């Protein structure tokens, strides 16, 4: 049995430490690929990457892991949650878990997403090389601080690719699918109530939990040990 972990936007597999620990303790093989453009110290690939590059890599990672395992669980965080769901449609994993899944754009970004996700706009953005700053004010537990390979600014092309990834989600295809979704109550990126309503409204058989002391990076935040046990319990349940 194996666990495929798909990391989030502007991050790297380093955010999978908690999930990797579960895999080791429960006897799972573990694989967390680096998505194109992330985990390196330059922006060259992010200036030309597309959402289909990330999806192709996620599905290919599943295909690698299933060669060694009879059953594979797919876990995705943030943007990786959307990729995990899209991978599940194409490969039907044993279980599907998403943490703080990025499935809807923020209210302030709705108009911007419409303006920038057209093909002509995307081509213009790639040619101009615009950048945006990514700022996080959230403080994480100091007692276990470890280096996180993240960017504080991002090519706008990568943000547009993230939004276009959401366009690949055909909600009718998720009807009747079992899924565990975990959220932080202080998360302003992936609002729990809206996403839970979205998923259940499209017939997803959803198990969900909201953790009161966590923001978006719930796998590294104050409730991480409770989240670890929630994931462990779900894996053992076989749902």
């Amino acid at each position: 049995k194996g666990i495929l972990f798909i990391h989030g936007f502007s991050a790297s597999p380093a955010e999978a430490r908690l999930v990797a620990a579960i895999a080791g303790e429960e006897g799972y093989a573990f694989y967390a690929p680096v998505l194109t453009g992330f985990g390196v110290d330059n922006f060259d690939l992010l200036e030309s990457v597309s959402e289909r590059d990330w999806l192709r890599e996620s599905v290919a990672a599943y295909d690698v892991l299933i060669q060694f395992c009879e059953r594979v669980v797919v876990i995705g965080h943030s943007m990786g949650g959307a990729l995990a769901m899209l991978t599940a449609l194409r490969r039907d994993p044993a279980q599907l878990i998403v943490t703080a899944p990025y499935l809807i754009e923020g209210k302030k970004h709705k108009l911007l997403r419409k303006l920038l996700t057209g093909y002509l706009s995307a081509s213009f953005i790639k040619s101009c090389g615009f950048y945006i700053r990514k700022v996080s004010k959230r403080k994480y537990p100091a007692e276990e601080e470890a280096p996180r390979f993240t960017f504080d600014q991002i090519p706008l092309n990568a943000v547009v690719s993230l939004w276009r990834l959401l366009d690949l989600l055909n909600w009718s295809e998720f009807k009747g699918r079992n899924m565990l979704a975990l959220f932080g109550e202080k998360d302003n990126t992936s609002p729990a109530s809206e996403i839970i309503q979205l998923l259940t409204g499209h017939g997803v058989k959803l198990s969900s939990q909201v953790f009161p002391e966590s923001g978006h990076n719930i796998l590294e935040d104050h409730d991480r040990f409770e989240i670890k046990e929630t994931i462990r319990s779900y894996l053992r349940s076989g749902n």
Side-chain angles (χ1 to χ4, degrees):
K1 53 187 182 180
I3 290 176
L4 170 64
F5 181 88
I6 306 174
H7 69 77
F9 185 77
S10 82
S12 75
E15 66 185 6
R17 285 185 290 262
L18 180 143
V19 178
I22 298 171
E25 293 161 6
E26 297 294 317
Y28 283 77
F30 180 78
Y31 183 33
V34 180
L35 299 176
T36 291
F38 303 119
V40 293
D41 59 358
N42 64 69
F43 296 128
D44 293 350
L45 294 174
L46 286 177
E47 290 170 346
S48 60
V49 73
S50 80
E51 68 285 355
R52 294 191 180 275
D53 293 326
W54 294 328
L55 178 55
R56 182 177 62 253
E57 291 163 348
S58 300
V59 174
Y62 182 96
D63 290 341
V64 168
L65 191 54
I66 198 65
Q67 298 301 312
F68 304 94
C69 305
E70 293 183 2
R71 61 193 302 269
V72 170
V73 176
V74 178
I75 301 178
H77 176 71
S78 190
M79 179 185 80
L83 287 167
M85 292 173 64
L86 289 165
T87 299
L89 289 178
R90 290 156 175 77
R91 291 296 185 269
D92 195 27
Q95 291 174 298
L96 175 60
I97 301 172
V98 294
T99 60
Y102 184 78
L103 304 180
I104 53 176
E105 78 284 351
K107 293 179 180 179
K108 296 180 180 179
H109 296 155
K110 288 184 182 297
L111 178 59
L112 193 59
R113 176 186 171 188
K114 289 181 180 179
L115 291 173
L116 296 182
T117 52
Y119 283 94
L120 291 178
S121 298
S123 298
F124 175 72
I125 290 165
K126 286 184 180 182
S127 65
C128 293
F130 294 122
Y131 286 77
I132 63 171
R133 183 163 294 279
K134 183 175 182 289
V135 179
S136 175
K137 297 180 181 179
R138 181 73 179 163
K139 300 297 183 182
Y140 296 96
E143 66 272 15
E144 294 190 13
E145 281 186 352
R148 302 180 72 247
F149 197 106
T150 60
F151 296 128
D152 60 0
Q153 62 178 356
I154 296 288
L156 185 54
N157 171 69
V159 178
V160 172
S161 296
L162 168 63
W163 287 336
R164 290 179 66 178
L165 178 68
L166 302 184
D167 294 333
L168 300 179
L169 291 164
N170 183 348
W171 297 111
S172 63
E173 296 178 317
F174 293 96
K175 185 176 181 179
R177 183 171 292 275
N178 291 305
M179 185 189 311
L180 173 66
L182 307 179
F183 302 89
E185 190 171 310
K186 300 178 180 180
D187 186 350
N188 295 317
T189 302
S190 299
S193 59
E194 292 183 45
I195 293 176
I196 290 171
Q197 184 177 4
L198 174 68
L199 294 173
T200 56
H202 285 90
V204 175
K205 295 180 179 178
L206 186 68
S207 298
S208 62
Q209 190 168 341
V210 181
F211 294 85
E213 298 301 322
S214 294
H216 187 61
N217 294 320
I218 65 174
L219 298 175
E220 302 164 280
D221 214 331
H222 295 282
D223 297 306
R224 63 197 184 283
F225 298 117
E226 291 82 357
I227 290 166
K228 180 179 181 181
E229 294 311 311
T230 301
I231 294 174
R232 187 198 308 277
S233 176
Y234 191 79
L235 291 173
R236 290 179 175 178
S237 74
N239 289 335

